[in-house]
């Protein structure tokens, strides 16, 4: 029997982390038969190419998992977040998605997403203490 061990490696190399993620993805494909996967990366950049915002996630199973939506502080409140969100949704539609899901904290952007017809489907209260963590989804038409 092999000598297996559990090791905590908070600063693991990217290769090991990628291997684990891809192994899970292969399992998911084997079980569902859905083998379409595409990363999503949309950026807000200035004339020099500096990143001032972005929408990151991936498409799988007919859904966009929108992992990150961020705009640099000096450019918030000027519609860039809305433009990034719409661009991500449009890309998801082009890739055949019928929905988007994302998470946000109570101190982040829940009201912002609700303005764009996202609905809360789950909450984790007191994470972090004194705040909440929200899971939201939206059907794409």
């Amino acid at each position: 029997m092999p000598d297996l061990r559990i090791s905590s490696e908070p600063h693991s190399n990217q290769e090991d982390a990628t291997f684990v993620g891809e192994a899970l993805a292969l399992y998911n494909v084997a079980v569902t038969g859905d083998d379409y996967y595409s990363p999503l990366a949309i950026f807000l950049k200035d004339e020099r190419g500096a990143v001032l915002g972005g929408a990151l996630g991936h498409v799988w199973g007919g859904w966009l998992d929108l992992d990150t939506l961020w705009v640099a502080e000096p450019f918030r409140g000027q519609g860039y977040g809305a433009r990034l969100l719409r661009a991500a949704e449009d890309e998801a539609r082009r890739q055949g998605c019928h929905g988007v899901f994302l998470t946000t904290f109570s101190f982040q952007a829940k009201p912002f997403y609700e303005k764009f017809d996202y609905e809360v489907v789950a909450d984790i209260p007191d994470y972090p203490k004194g705040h909440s963590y929200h899971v939201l989804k939206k059907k794409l038409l």
Side-chain angles (χ1 to χ4, degrees), residues 4 44 50 54 58 64-65 79 85 89 94 97 127 134:
L4 303 180
L44 172 65
H58 68 269
L64 167 60
D65 176 354
L85 182 59
E89 291 175 353
R94 280 191 288 279
C97 290
Y127 173 53
H134 309 288

Side-chain angles (χ1 to χ4, degrees), residues 20-79:
V20 171
E22 288 178 356
L24 178 59
L26 288 172
Y27 172 81
N28 292 347
V29 168
V31 170
T32 65
D34 192 334
D35 65 352
Y36 181 80
Y37 173 89
S38 177
L40 180 131
I42 300 169
F43 297 100
L44 172 65
K45 295 183 176 183
D46 69 10
E47 65 279 353
R48 296 181 331 267
V51 175
L52 302 173
L56 307 173
H58 68 269
V59 169
W60 181 75
W63 286 81
L64 167 60
D65 176 354
L66 187 59
D67 180 59
T68 303
L69 180 68
W70 172 80
V71 174
E73 186 71 39
F75 303 99
R76 293 181 188 162
Q78 299 177 41

Side-chain angles (χ1 to χ4, degrees), residues 104-111 127-128 130-134:
T104 190
F105 289 100
S106 55
F107 56 85
Q108 289 179 329
K110 181 178 168 256
Y127 173 53
H131 301 280
S132 293
Y133 187 65
H134 309 288

Side-chain angles (χ1 to χ4, degrees), residues 92-139:
R93 284 185 192 92
R94 280 191 288 279
Q95 294 189 42
C97 290
H98 58 270
V100 179
F101 69 94
L102 55 87
T103 59
T104 190
F105 289 100
S106 55
F107 56 85
Q108 289 179 329
K110 181 178 168 256
F112 169 80
Y113 292 117
E114 290 173 326
K115 285 192 308 188
F116 293 93
D117 299 323
Y118 284 78
E119 63 177 298
V120 174
V121 295
D123 285 305
I124 300 175
D126 221 23
Y127 173 53
K129 190 166 182 67
H131 301 280
S132 293
Y133 187 65
H134 309 288
V135 178
L136 295 93
K137 73 170 185 145
K138 176 181 179 175
K139 287 188 177 187

